[in-house]
Structures are given as structure tokens and as C-alpha cells.
Amino acid sequence: MALQIADLSKRYSTGTEALRGVSLEIEAGEFFGLLGPNGAGKSTLIHCTTGLARPTAGTIRVFGHDAVEDGSEARLAVGLAPQDVNLDWFLTAAETLDYHAGYFGMPRRERRERTKELLDVFSLTAKKDESTRTLSGGMKRRLILARALMHRPRLLILDEPTAGVDVELRLELWQYVQRINAEGTTILLTTHYLEEAEQLCDRIAFINGGQIVAEGTSHDLAAEFGVASLEDAYLELVGRNELSRARIVDVAQ
Ligand code: ADP
């Protein structure tokens, strides 16, 4: 099992209950989508999984390692491509990858080889010595993905990787991610684009108000709610106001 979350709750010091008894299991090799509107608890779930936030109750296991008790092992197994473009503008593309792997304890020689390999995979070799600041939007996104993969995580978490990204780049990122998944990496994707989830994910969970409200293949979900599509199921659960935001075509314009 790649990710095993049981009865996870998170209450922030402000009193907000961001997660209320979430249980979720993701098999090794799966491409899993977590869908929900803003404020549903997606980022909180990711932060708890990656050790950036401490659960109030419940357990998280990443390939068997407890995210709290055995945090460093759990963190080694996870690569996170965050929603924000959080690159260090004072580093070059190559340094960004090298330093990240150094943080994970990868020896120098292996770091150099892995950096070279990923710069090549993500078509960034020609830009390796340029400051991250000067890269195009698409290159920055690709570098973030490469950085998340540097330490060869078995679980890759993608937090809204295509938010505000144009259609061409979105398709390109999808291709990379599908390839990584085909090569054996488990993927947890959070998105509010239904089309993205429907095309990429083996299974999907809807989260709303800090709770998992439905889970299954997009076909299962549509059948469960007696509707024709994933979009209709989402509408049933999350409401009409959110739907326009969840349509890629609307957002891309
Ligand atoms: P999502 O990623 O689905 O948009 P979040 O996990 O960011 O949802 O947020 C879930 C809820 O927790 C929201 O009500 C949000 O305002 C609140 N929240 C998120 N982070 C914090 C924080 N650091 N401190 C207090 N409240 C937070």
C-alpha cells in the first residue's frame, strides 16, 4: 500500500476543522485523484502526509512508514510538486535539483547523474546554468516536477499542477506524469479540473468540508449517483457554484 490514511483529523489553532475523519487507501502504482472545491482540505491532507502539518488525530502511513513517528523515512518516499512556483530565484536550474537531492542525503556523484538525467527528461538541459528566475512559466513547472523526482520518490504528490496553466503546457505535463506513473511511481493528484481527473486517474475521491464524500472510478462515481458523468456526480455533491471552476475550458480562457 502506497498511502494508508485512517481517521485523519486536523484542527488548526484557529479552530478550523480542515479534516474530519478522513480515511483513504492508495495502492502502489495507482494514479489517484483527490477532487474538491477550495477549502475542502486537500492541501491540509497533503501537508499532513509530507510532514508539513501535524495531524490532530488519526494515522498516515507512506509505504508502511508512519508520517509522524517515522517521519524521515516517510518523507523520503514522497515527492511533492506544490501548487505555488516556490523556486529559489538565486539558484540555477541545475543547482535547484542538486541542492534538493543534497537535502535528501543523496551522494554527490549520484546527484550529478540524476540532475543530468532529469534535465534531459524535462527538456531543460540547455537552460541548466540559467537562473530559475529567467525560465519561462512552462520551464518553471517542469523544473518543479523534476525537483520532486530527484530523490526517486515512490509516491509523487501533485498539488494542482495545472492551475492557471495553458492548454499546451497542461497536455505536456500530463504526458510526463503519465510516463512517470507507467514507470511505476504512484501518483496522488489534487485538482479541481474534472476532465483532468477523468482522463488521468484510476480512482478518484471527492473531498468536501474535510470529509471524503465519495470514492471510486469515474464510472463508479457516476453510477453511484445515478448520473451520466463524473461532472454530474460532482455537481450532486459539491454544488453548482463550483462547477464552472471545475471545467477546464472555462478556466483556460
Ligand atoms: P484546499 O487545499 O482543499 O483548498 P485547505 O486544506 O487549504 O483546502 O483548507 C481547508 C480549511 O483549513 C480551510 O477552511 C482553510 O481556510 C483552513 N486552513 C488551511 N490552512 C490553514 C492554516 N495554516 N491555519 C488555519 N486554517 C487553515
Side-chain angles (χ1 to χ4, degrees):
M1 195 72 73
L3 185 63
Q4 199 166 18
I5 296 180
D7 292 323
L8 181 66
S9 294
K10 173 65 184 176
R11 186 174 199 272
Y12 286 107
S13 54
T14 52
T16 303
E17 291 201 52
L19 296 174
R20 297 184 290 153
V22 167
S23 294
L24 201 62
E25 291 191 341
I26 303 179
E27 298 279 352
E30 256 192 312
F31 199 133
F32 192 92
L34 185 64
L35 264 83
N38 268 341
K42 302 183 294 297
S43 300
T44 301
L45 185 144
I46 289 172
H47 290 161
C48 288
T49 304
T50 53
L52 296 170
R54 206 183 164 87
T56 309
T59 56
I60 305 170
R61 289 184 165 272
V62 186
F63 287 100
H65 301 290
D66 188 286
V68 177
E69 302 299 324
D70 193 8
S72 53
E73 281 298 319
R75 270 194 293 282
L76 271 177
V78 182
L80 172 64
Q83 201 169 334
D84 315 317
V85 176
N86 65 345
L87 294 166
D88 184 333
W89 302 138
F90 294 100
L91 300 181
T92 65
E95 285 166 350
T96 299
L97 301 184
D98 184 73
Y99 289 13
H100 177 84
Y103 173 74
F104 280 92
M106 192 184 274
R108 191 146 163 243
R109 185 163 163 199
E110 197 185 336
R111 252 163 39 209
R112 207 179 304 145
E113 281 165 13
R114 182 75 171 152
T115 297
K116 194 160 176 282
E117 179 190 343
L118 287 176
L119 287 170
D120 184 45
V121 167
F122 289 95
S123 311
L124 289 165
T125 304
K127 300 283 177 182
K128 71 182 171 60
D129 296 322
E130 296 202 11
S131 152
T132 55
R133 193 201 315 254
T134 66
L135 301 179
S136 71
M139 290 170 188
K140 286 178 182 141
R141 285 276 165 200
R142 298 205 298 266
L143 184 61
I144 286 172
L145 204 47
R147 185 184 61 185
L149 293 167
M150 267 306 281
H151 61 290
R152 304 178 196 277
R154 298 163 75 193
L155 171 65
L156 176 65
I157 302 183
L158 303 165
D159 191 6
E160 305 265 1
T162 54
V165 156
D166 67 35
V167 176
E168 201 180 337
L169 175 59
R170 180 179 298 129
L171 293 176
E172 189 184 298
L173 291 175
W174 285 8
Q175 272 179 2
Y176 284 123
V177 170
Q178 279 178 308
R179 185 157 112 206
I180 295 159
N181 179 239
E183 287 168 2
T185 305
T186 308
I187 312 264
L188 169 57
L189 167 76
T190 80
T191 182
H192 44 248
Y193 299 140
L194 296 171
E195 190 184 320
E196 186 162 85
E198 200 158 24
Q199 291 194 13
L200 295 173
C201 300
D202 302 320
R203 278 194 308 133
I204 292 165
F206 286 157
I207 184 168
N208 199 17
Q211 291 180 308
I212 303 290
V213 290
E215 197 187 323
T217 62
S218 68
H219 183 264
D220 291 343
L221 289 170
E224 185 178 338
F225 292 92
V227 291
S229 67
L230 184 67
E231 181 170 305
D232 292 332
Y234 190 81
L235 204 148
E236 283 281 312
L237 280 163
V238 176
R240 194 166 288 276
N241 290 344
E242 280 297 330
L243 191 63
S244 62
R245 293 182 60 253
R247 283 208 184 103
I248 284 183
V249 281
D250 294 343
V251 177
Q253 281 164 1

